[in-house]
Amino acid sequence: MRQSKLFTKTDKSAKEFESVNATLLQKGAFIKQVMAGVYEFLPLGLRVLAKIENIVREEMDKIGNEVLMPSIAPKELWEQTGRLEKVDVLFKASGANKASVEKNNAEYVLNSTHEEVVTPLAKSFNQSYKDFPFAIYQIQTKFRNEARAKSGLLRGREFRMKDLYSFHVSEEDLKRYYEEAKKAYTTVFERVGLGDDTVIALASGGDFTKDFSHEFQTRCETGEDIIFYSKKLDIYFNREVAPSKAPSLNDENEEIKAREDVVGKGIIGVQELADYLKIPVEKTTKTLIFETDKGEIIAAAVRGGYDVDEGKLLKIIGAKSLKLASAETVKKITGAEVGYAGILNLPAEVKVYIDESVANRKNFECGANKTDYHSININFGRDLPEPEKVYDFKVAKEGDMHPETGEVYEVFRAAEVGNIFPLNTKFSEAFDYKYTDENGKEQIVYMGCYGIGTTRIMGVIVEKLNDEKGILWPEQIAPFKVHLISVRTDDEAFEKAEKLYNELTEKGIEVLWDDRAGVSAGEKFADADLIGTPWRVVVSAKTGEQVEIKKRSESESKLISKEELYTALGY
Amino acid sequence: MRQSKLFTKTDKSAKEFESVNATLLQKGAFIKQVMAGVYEFLPLGLRVLAKIENIVREEMDKIGNEVLMPSIAPKELWEQTGRLEKVDVLFKASGANKASVEKNNAEYVLNSTHEEVVTPLAKSFNQSYKDFPFAIYQIQTKFRNEARAKSGLLRGREFRMKDLYSFHVSEEDLKRYYEEAKKAYTTVFERVGLGDDTVIALASGGDFTKDFSHEFQTRCETGEDIIFYSKKLDIYFNREVAPSKAPSLNDENEEIKAREDVVGKGIIGVQELADYLKIPVEKTTKTLIFETDKGEIIAAAVRGGYDVDEGKLLKIIGAKSLKLASAETVKKITGAEVGYAGILNLPAEVKVYIDESVANRKNFECGANKTDYHSININFGRDLPEPEKVYDFKVAKEGDMHPETGEVYEVFRAAEVGNIFPLNTKFSEAFDYKYTDENGKEQIVYMGCYGIGTTRIMGVIVEKLNDEKGILWPEQIAPFKVHLISVRTDDEAFEKAEKLYNELTEKGIEVLWDDRAGVSAGEKFADADLIGTPWRVVVSAKTGEQVEIKKRSESESKLISKEELYTALGY
């Protein structure tokens, strides 16, 4: 393509956004923000996106049938699964003005995901065991009513993704296919250039399954997720499900001190409390009083410096939801205002859950259950009985160990680029999707779902592969393979460049030819670095019969012959 | 592709829909309805759609840059053009439930067209005369809140289209590009197989321009539009803009009769009135009393059997909108209840517009402006003065002539598959989009817009190209080129088919191989006819070293060698 034919222009001095991908992709004129979380894909950006989506399509075609489901759907489908009121990013579509409402006064869901659409679709075609297994996927625009969207292509109100759904006669067959999908995903991430840095992490199965789901997480300093890696087990955990053991604080030489209740009125936060009491944060204890959906009141204590992971806690107590108890309830239970709750002397009806980080300490602090007071030098076995059982319901943090191996986790930030989910029977039950088995008996269908954010991949790649000059696209998804630059557009150099452009293009090599007049060589080079095409080829009066070639990732250019150029480009 | 790997199945006994395309495309499992006007594109349908869109893309790439604009947009953009309240098919998107609204309580427009998005986009990049002309297009999903949607893919609440927008420094340059776009469109329709039956018809320019817009209309008995063709002028008119002259009723031998006022209480409709009065419908007159947006009261009269075309009438009277006068106003003006208005003795302040179809008649009927009464044997020059001027504001109908040539129109039904529109400065004014000319002076930008409904093309092709057995796809957009059928899947025939399938596929020929076991030859043949792939190739024990080939459009099959097969397929 001739650069003079692009309606867009790079803008090196454009606004800096909060995220690197938003900034670089807009400076390079790949995308343009229409509103927070909503972008236009400009000619260069659309080329990248199409390449990513073609790679995804090629791999998905090996394991499923491509379809295109609609963005709008009847509300009834979402009512049937109970998700119409639950999914907190769901949009609806309705008439935008009086005339439109008068024409058709209806409301539809704008699908944020397509289980509600694909399940009835699958059911309409396949109800005999002979039809199974099968899988259906699409590459499509999705809508999510996000509160904030400041991460460029990493989190959008409108974005593109590939979603695949599989259908099985048994959990075993679902598991078999699940592994097949995992492999296909691994290939996709290898092909788009993220293979080396992308790992499969265990994550929560949500309310679909007691099993884990799996996330494909790409190491990325600006990613939203934190991954815990156990080298001994060779398992990656999303923080939300990382089993964790806090560093032990048991010092054999530490002597047991006398318990004291000290005044500490209005002290907010464990760090402030530790400073005030002149003890390490690790010696403090955070005790939270919760009410469960079953109406129970529980106390949950973690070591100071940790937070309670409600997801982990819910599984332990076997409840569906939790909320912090009201000030009134706290006062009734602990006898004190909020802020002084501890694990001492709680009424018998309050079940106390103690995180393992609370135990294995001597002389620790906890709320005195007395307004304005904190108890210090508390010790199990003396001030309260040794806990019968300790749990792990804290949010894991750097320095924690895997409880079984005792090995300290490697911890790193990552961006989720894909996830796969055993849905099991959640949606087939909602839509009464059964198949008839070999004996004529009806059996419930098992399902899995598998997502890849294609626009997100584009954002993650830019977050990872950039330098001070611009983007470094992996060759397989770069907008062009070669950025051909004709310097000083005197007739001869221009004609030489045009000839090379035509030759390369005829060979099927994708070339962006900077044929613009009145633009300096320096500007053209800076543009090439910003746009980030893998190969820069310069033709000028100076280069004679040769061309100057430079890889975007290298700093040295060299003069080579045309034959050498084709060899370098793999032709 | 192996047919056994398709998750869909044809269903010859499936429901009949109101439109042929909806029925055949669903029987053949190309699409499936999710709700009225909203469809899933299944594997076969998506292949057809992708081929149509690729043809469109190839032709549009020659005249514009491809982008992808978002479906949702801030309301402010639509407020800026005043269309937020005006476009009666506009959808908005907002939080679908309490939790979603709490996260982000905002409303966005779901774009039904993208002038409001593309104009600011173009402006952000190009403001110097040197940047012009340029054109931007996308192939994208659109949303329209249609009241009814019963025409399958011809009218959808969610559908896909290609929309192109061009930007120019002058009206002349817009006109030059407009002709270029026309040619590109003509190529598209030729390539998808509609070339022979698609014409360019003049249509209304709406409120964008006094010029016509142009519609690409495909002859189609089930189409929604009616086209009037003047052979002498070689011009096609959409009915809404067809200038029309009604057949003359002046019979020189007819004698002038005496005027009479006759009772005709409660007679509804011109046919009933004509029967009652024992006169031809053509002798009756329909007089409508309107109020204009300027507060004027007018009377407009057309010959019985015609309707008033409000679009034509608005242009004649120079008003923006019209509505039928209230019963009260009618009574005040005519002195009679609604139903008895005529052109006799109206108050001087009521301007009377007479369609040319009303003149050139003797002894005609019109309302008596007296409750329950009709006047008959009315004659201009005796009962009322000869009209100073007659107009053409009737809806043209079959039998009408072009007023200038006097030639009777050829009239046919058609389906609109594309339209092109000179927007001129409507949107550039709304967004204050100016460019700086050679002299540093600011000048307004001229715009054009150009649409092709890609899903609609698919529907129109099915409406046109079908027989009692199913669809007949043009080769260039057929889901596959060859439907290979292996009959009686004994091992040998199956292996022979597999070998041929592999050979054809390796040559790049797209083959759907019906490799299903337990399906009879008859069923496979019926499926092939329904799906409508251009070439059917049968391999069976009977065919020996040869194959049996049949074109979908022909009834005779023949046995040929493999070499002859390749020749027939163009390889």
Side-chain angles (χ1 to χ4, degrees):
Chain A
M1 182 175 202
R2 287 167 185 244
Q3 206 163 332
S4 63
K5 298 280 181 200
L6 271 181
F7 87 89
T8 55
K9 301 179 179 80
T10 61
D11 184 0
K12 286 171 283 292
S13 63
K15 186 181 157 190
E16 301 277 331
F17 286 81
E18 279 187 35
S19 68
V20 172
N21 79 85
T23 300
L24 284 179
L25 287 169
Q26 294 194 74
K27 288 187 173 188
F30 288 87
I31 63 172
K32 187 169 164 57
Q33 191 181 50
V34 177
M35 53 182 251
V38 177
Y39 294 89
E40 288 150 334
F41 285 81
L42 305 176
L44 294 180
L46 188 58
R47 288 182 77 97
V48 174
L49 181 61
K51 288 188 183 190
I52 292 170
E53 294 189 346
N54 277 338
I55 288 172
V56 171
R57 178 172 288 118
E58 283 174 14
E59 297 308 321
M60 292 305 113
D61 276 344
K62 295 174 187 167
I63 61 169
N65 278 187
E66 187 178 4
V67 301
L68 181 62
M69 289 181 271
S71 292
I72 57 179
K75 282 171 98 168
E76 292 70 29
L77 292 175
W78 283 76
E79 275 164 359
Q80 204 155 336
T81 59
R83 296 209 300 174
L84 182 60
E85 294 303 323
K86 259 196 207 161
V87 173
D88 67 357
V89 291
L90 206 61
F91 271 123
K92 68 179 178 191
S94 56
N97 54 45
K98 195 161 160 269
S100 180
V101 170
E102 275 170 12
K103 268 192 121 170
N104 182 32
N105 188 12
E107 291 189 341
Y108 308 108
V109 167
L110 261 179
N111 297 305
S112 59
T113 174
H114 276 74
E115 285 84 359
E116 274 78 358
V117 179
V118 80
T119 311
L121 170 64
K123 183 181 175 183
S124 74
F125 283 105
N126 296 322
Q127 302 196 20
S128 157
Y129 72 96
K130 290 181 193 160
D131 302 324
F132 289 80
F134 62 94
I136 303 173
Y137 84 93
Q138 64 175 349
I139 299 175
Q140 199 226 29
T141 300
K142 293 277 192 280
F143 301 90
R144 290 173 61 101
N145 192 21
E146 297 283 357
R148 275 166 300 280
K150 296 188 170 180
S151 317
L153 298 186
L154 298 199
R155 184 167 295 277
R157 293 202 172 105
E158 177 172 344
F159 57 96
R160 286 183 60 82
M161 74 175 275
K162 183 281 305 171
D163 41 332
L164 168 75
Y165 306 87
S166 71
F167 300 84
H168 309 274
V169 293
S170 66
E171 196 175 352
E172 293 66 51
D173 193 59
L174 165 58
K175 283 187 174 161
R176 174 199 58 75
Y177 183 88
Y178 197 80
E179 293 307 313
E180 211 181 308
K182 232 184 234 176
K183 280 185 207 141
Y185 268 47
T186 302
T187 308
V188 166
F189 296 117
E190 277 167 10
R191 288 187 61 190
V192 298
L194 291 175
D196 291 346
D197 288 328
T198 302
V199 302
I200 302 177
L202 301 182
S204 165
D207 47 354
F208 302 137
T209 170
K210 284 173 194 162
D211 297 339
F212 291 113
S213 70
H214 295 79
E215 293 172 343
F216 289 77
Q217 292 277 6
T218 303
R219 283 173 193 268
C220 177
E221 279 168 35
T222 52
E224 289 176 332
D225 286 305
I226 298 175
I227 305 300
F228 284 66
Y229 177 53
S230 161
K231 202 172 176 182
K232 279 193 189 153
L233 301 175
D234 195 21
I235 298 179
Y236 297 85
F237 298 91
N238 186 312
R239 176 156 77 171
E240 67 186 13
V241 297
S244 102
K245 189 167 153 56
S248 172
L249 293 177
N250 250 354
D251 177 358
E252 290 197 4
N253 300 323
E254 185 175 344
E255 285 182 15
I256 303 293
K257 297 182 194 167
R259 168 180 168 176
E260 278 181 70
D261 284 2
V262 295
V263 176
K265 185 177 177 175
I267 294 173
I268 297 156
V270 288
Q271 187 61 54
E272 201 192 343
L273 179 64
D275 292 349
Y276 174 80
L277 296 173
K278 298 196 173 63
I279 58 173
V281 166
E282 294 76 32
K283 291 267 186 180
T284 66
T285 305
K286 188 190 280 178
T287 307
L288 299 176
I289 313 293
F290 289 104
E291 281 180 72
T292 73
D293 59 315
K294 297 185 285 189
E296 282 180 327
I297 311 286
I298 65 158
V302 293
R303 183 187 290 181
Y306 283 93
D307 290 314
V308 170
D309 186 312
E310 291 192 10
K312 284 184 177 178
L313 186 56
L314 281 172
K315 281 199 178 164
I316 290 165
I317 64 175
K320 278 187 183 161
S321 67
L322 279 178
K323 60 176 183 188
L324 280 173
S326 65
E328 201 184 345
T329 305
V330 169
K331 188 151 188 189
K332 211 177 94 191
I333 297 296
T334 67
E337 301 292 338
V338 170
Y340 308 96
I343 52 179
L344 295 162
N345 309 320
L346 287 169
E349 72 266 26
V350 176
K351 182 137 195 216
V352 181
Y353 291 89
I354 294 182
D355 188 83
E356 60 81 31
S357 61
V358 171
N360 289 325
R361 295 185 303 175
K362 293 175 182 165
N363 303 320
F364 61 88
E365 173 277 349
C366 82
N369 290 333
K370 192 162 87 177
T371 302
D372 299 345
Y373 280 85
H374 301 271
S375 302
I376 58 171
N377 300 331
I378 301 298
N379 286 281
F380 283 113
R382 183 190 69 185
D383 306 307
L384 71 179
E386 286 287 349
E388 278 172 32
K389 193 171 176 188
V390 292
Y391 300 90
D392 165 27
F393 53 81
K394 61 191 167 301
V395 176
K397 64 176 194 172
E398 190 141 19
D400 285 357
M401 296 165 283
H402 189 282
E404 280 155 34
T405 65
E407 171 201 27
V408 174
Y409 282 115
E410 182 203 338
V411 180
F412 58 90
R413 295 197 80 89
E416 186 187 333
V417 287
N419 65 0
I420 62 178
F421 237 97
L423 297 174
N424 290 330
T425 61
K426 181 180 162 80
F427 291 93
S428 42
E429 277 168 23
F431 289 101
D432 192 31
Y433 185 12
K434 298 197 174 107
Y435 68 93
T436 309
D437 72 11
E438 291 88 332
N439 306 314
K441 225 181 114 193
E442 287 203 328
Q443 305 276 9
I444 195 80
V445 170
Y446 280 79
M447 289 173 57
C449 77
Y450 315 82
I452 290 181
T454 55
T455 43
R456 185 175 251 256
I457 284 179
M458 186 168 159
V460 170
I461 284 174
V462 176
E463 289 288 330
K464 288 184 66 71
L465 303 175
N466 67 75
D467 61 18
E468 68 287 351
K469 291 176 178 169
I471 304 170
L472 289 88
W473 291 110
E475 192 159 317
Q476 50 280 33
I477 63 157
F480 295 90
K481 181 162 183 160
V482 172
H483 202 146
L484 172 64
I485 294 177
S486 46
V487 175
R488 282 194 223 133
T489 48
D490 59 80
D491 287 353
E492 202 184 332
F494 188 85
E495 279 162 22
K496 214 163 66 176
E498 187 169 36
K499 188 160 170 270
L500 182 59
Y501 171 70
N502 289 334
E503 284 172 9
L504 290 167
T505 304
E506 272 163 32
K507 280 207 196 293
I509 301 171
E510 292 179 318
V511 182
L512 178 63
W513 172 25
D514 194 344
D515 62 335
R516 293 174 299 168
V519 178
S520 74
E523 264 182 275
K524 289 186 174 185
F525 290 169
D527 257 13
D529 283 340
L530 177 55
I531 290 172
T533 287
W535 297 92
R536 190 185 78 188
V537 174
V538 179
V539 170
S540 70
K542 277 199 306 195
T543 58
E545 286 307 302
Q546 295 181 294
V547 299
E548 186 196 287
I549 187 168
K550 187 180 97 60
K551 277 186 101 159
R552 174 64 180 89
S553 55
E554 293 169 4
S555 50
E556 292 303 304
S557 64
K558 55 183 175 186
L559 276 174
I560 59 172
S561 70
K562 264 200 205 176
E563 290 65 41
E564 288 169 319
L565 172 64
Y566 283 117
T567 308
L569 297 177
Y571 281 79
Chain B
M1 182 175 202
R2 286 167 186 244
Q3 206 163 332
S4 63
K5 299 281 180 197
L6 272 181
F7 86 90
T8 55
K9 300 179 179 81
T10 61
D11 184 0
K12 286 170 283 291
S13 63
K15 185 182 157 189
E16 301 277 332
F17 287 81
E18 280 188 32
S19 68
V20 171
N21 79 86
T23 300
L24 284 178
L25 288 170
Q26 295 193 74
K27 287 188 173 186
F30 288 86
I31 63 174
K32 187 169 164 57
Q33 192 181 49
V34 178
M35 51 184 251
V38 177
Y39 294 89
E40 289 151 333
F41 286 80
L42 305 176
L44 294 179
L46 189 58
R47 288 181 76 98
V48 174
L49 181 61
K51 287 187 182 189
I52 293 170
E53 293 189 346
N54 277 337
I55 289 172
V56 171
R57 179 173 287 118
E58 283 174 13
E59 297 307 320
M60 292 303 113
D61 277 344
K62 295 173 185 167
I63 62 169
N65 279 186
E66 188 177 2
V67 301
L68 181 62
M69 290 182 270
S71 292
I72 57 178
K75 282 171 98 168
E76 292 71 30
L77 292 176
W78 284 76
E79 275 164 0
Q80 204 155 337
T81 58
R83 295 209 300 175
L84 182 60
E85 295 301 323
K86 260 194 206 161
V87 173
D88 68 357
V89 291
L90 206 61
F91 271 124
K92 69 180 178 191
S94 56
N97 54 44
K98 196 161 159 269
S100 181
V101 170
E102 275 170 12
K103 268 192 121 172
N104 182 32
N105 187 11
E107 291 188 341
Y108 308 108
V109 167
L110 259 181
N111 297 303
S112 59
T113 173
H114 276 74
E115 286 83 359
E116 275 78 358
V117 179
V118 79
T119 312
L121 170 64
K123 183 181 175 183
S124 74
F125 282 105
N126 296 322
Q127 301 196 21
S128 157
Y129 72 95
K130 290 180 193 161
D131 300 325
F132 289 80
F134 63 94
I136 303 172
Y137 85 93
Q138 65 177 349
I139 299 174
Q140 199 225 30
T141 300
K142 294 275 191 280
F143 301 89
R144 291 172 61 102
N145 192 23
E146 298 283 358
R148 275 166 301 279
K150 297 189 170 180
S151 318
L153 297 185
L154 299 197
R155 184 166 296 276
R157 294 204 171 105
E158 176 172 346
F159 57 96
R160 287 185 58 86
M161 71 176 277
K162 184 282 305 171
D163 42 331
L164 168 75
Y165 306 88
S166 71
F167 300 84
H168 308 274
V169 295
S170 65
E171 196 176 351
E172 293 67 51
D173 193 58
L174 165 58
K175 283 186 173 161
R176 174 199 59 75
Y177 183 87
Y178 197 80
E179 293 307 313
E180 211 181 306
K182 233 184 234 176
K183 279 185 207 141
Y185 268 46
T186 302
T187 309
V188 165
F189 297 117
E190 276 167 10
R191 289 187 60 189
V192 298
L194 292 175
D196 291 345
D197 288 327
T198 301
V199 302
I200 302 177
L202 300 181
S204 164
D207 47 354
F208 303 138
T209 170
K210 284 173 194 161
D211 297 339
F212 291 113
S213 70
H214 293 79
E215 293 173 343
F216 288 77
Q217 292 277 7
T218 303
R219 282 173 194 269
C220 177
E221 278 167 37
T222 52
E224 290 176 330
D225 285 305
I226 297 174
I227 304 302
F228 284 66
Y229 177 54
S230 160
K231 202 173 177 181
K232 279 193 189 153
L233 300 175
D234 194 22
I235 299 179
Y236 296 86
F237 297 90
N238 186 312
R239 175 156 78 170
E240 66 187 12
V241 297
S244 101
K245 190 168 155 54
S248 173
L249 293 179
N250 251 353
D251 176 358
E252 290 195 6
N253 302 324
E254 185 175 344
E255 283 182 19
I256 301 293
K257 298 183 193 165
R259 168 180 168 176
E260 278 181 71
D261 285 1
V262 295
V263 175
K265 185 178 176 177
I267 293 173
I268 296 156
V270 288
Q271 187 62 55
E272 200 190 344
L273 179 65
D275 292 348
Y276 176 80
L277 298 173
K278 299 196 172 64
I279 57 173
V281 166
E282 294 75 31
K283 291 266 187 181
T284 66
T285 305
K286 187 190 280 177
T287 306
L288 298 175
I289 312 293
F290 289 104
E291 279 181 74
T292 73
D293 59 315
K294 297 186 285 189
E296 283 179 329
I297 310 286
I298 64 159
V302 292
R303 184 187 291 179
Y306 283 93
D307 290 313
V308 170
D309 185 313
E310 291 193 10
K312 283 182 176 179
L313 186 57
L314 281 171
K315 281 198 179 164
I316 290 165
I317 64 175
K320 278 186 184 162
S321 67
L322 280 178
K323 59 175 182 188
L324 280 173
S326 65
E328 201 184 346
T329 305
V330 169
K331 186 150 191 192
K332 211 177 96 191
I333 297 297
T334 67
E337 300 293 339
V338 170
Y340 308 97
I343 52 181
L344 295 162
N345 310 319
L346 285 170
E349 71 266 27
V350 176
K351 183 137 195 217
V352 180
Y353 292 89
I354 294 181
D355 187 85
E356 61 81 30
S357 61
V358 171
N360 290 324
R361 296 186 298 176
K362 292 176 183 164
N363 303 321
F364 61 88
E365 172 278 348
C366 81
N369 290 332
K370 195 162 88 178
T371 301
D372 299 345
Y373 281 86
H374 301 271
S375 301
I376 58 170
N377 300 331
I378 300 297
N379 287 279
F380 283 113
R382 183 190 70 184
D383 306 306
L384 71 179
E386 286 286 351
E388 280 172 30
K389 193 170 175 186
V390 292
Y391 301 90
D392 166 27
F393 53 80
K394 62 190 167 302
V395 176
K397 62 175 195 173
E398 189 140 20
D400 286 358
M401 297 165 282
H402 188 283
E404 280 154 35
T405 65
E407 171 200 28
V408 174
Y409 281 115
E410 182 204 335
V411 180
F412 58 91
R413 294 197 81 89
E416 186 187 334
V417 286
N419 65 0
I420 61 179
F421 236 97
L423 297 174
N424 291 329
T425 60
K426 180 178 164 80
F427 291 94
S428 43
E429 276 168 23
F431 289 102
D432 192 31
Y433 185 12
K434 296 195 173 110
Y435 68 94
T436 309
D437 72 9
E438 292 88 331
N439 307 313
K441 228 181 110 189
E442 287 202 329
Q443 305 275 9
I444 195 79
V445 170
Y446 281 79
M447 289 172 57
C449 77
Y450 316 83
I452 291 181
T454 55
T455 42
R456 185 175 251 257
I457 284 179
M458 187 168 158
V460 170
I461 286 174
V462 176
E463 289 288 330
K464 285 184 68 69
L465 304 175
N466 67 75
D467 62 18
E468 68 287 352
K469 292 177 179 169
I471 304 170
L472 290 88
W473 291 110
E475 190 159 319
Q476 51 279 32
I477 64 157
F480 294 90
K481 181 164 182 158
V482 172
H483 203 147
L484 172 64
I485 294 178
S486 47
V487 175
R488 284 196 222 131
T489 49
D490 60 80
D491 286 353
E492 202 183 334
F494 188 85
E495 279 161 23
K496 215 163 65 175
E498 187 168 38
K499 187 159 171 271
L500 182 60
Y501 171 70
N502 289 334
E503 283 171 11
L504 291 166
T505 304
E506 271 162 33
K507 281 207 196 294
I509 301 172
E510 291 178 320
V511 183
L512 178 63
W513 172 25
D514 195 343
D515 62 335
R516 293 174 299 168
V519 178
S520 74
E523 263 181 276
K524 289 186 176 186
F525 290 168
D527 257 13
D529 283 339
L530 178 55
I531 291 172
T533 288
W535 297 92
R536 189 185 80 188
V537 174
V538 179
V539 171
S540 69
K542 278 199 305 198
T543 58
E545 285 307 301
Q546 294 182 295
V547 299
E548 186 196 288
I549 187 168
K550 187 182 96 60
K551 277 186 102 162
R552 174 66 179 88
S553 54
E554 293 169 3
S555 50
E556 293 301 304
S557 63
K558 55 184 174 187
L559 275 175
I560 58 173
S561 70
K562 262 200 204 176
E563 290 66 40
E564 288 168 319
L565 173 64
Y566 283 116
T567 308
L569 297 176
Y571 280 80

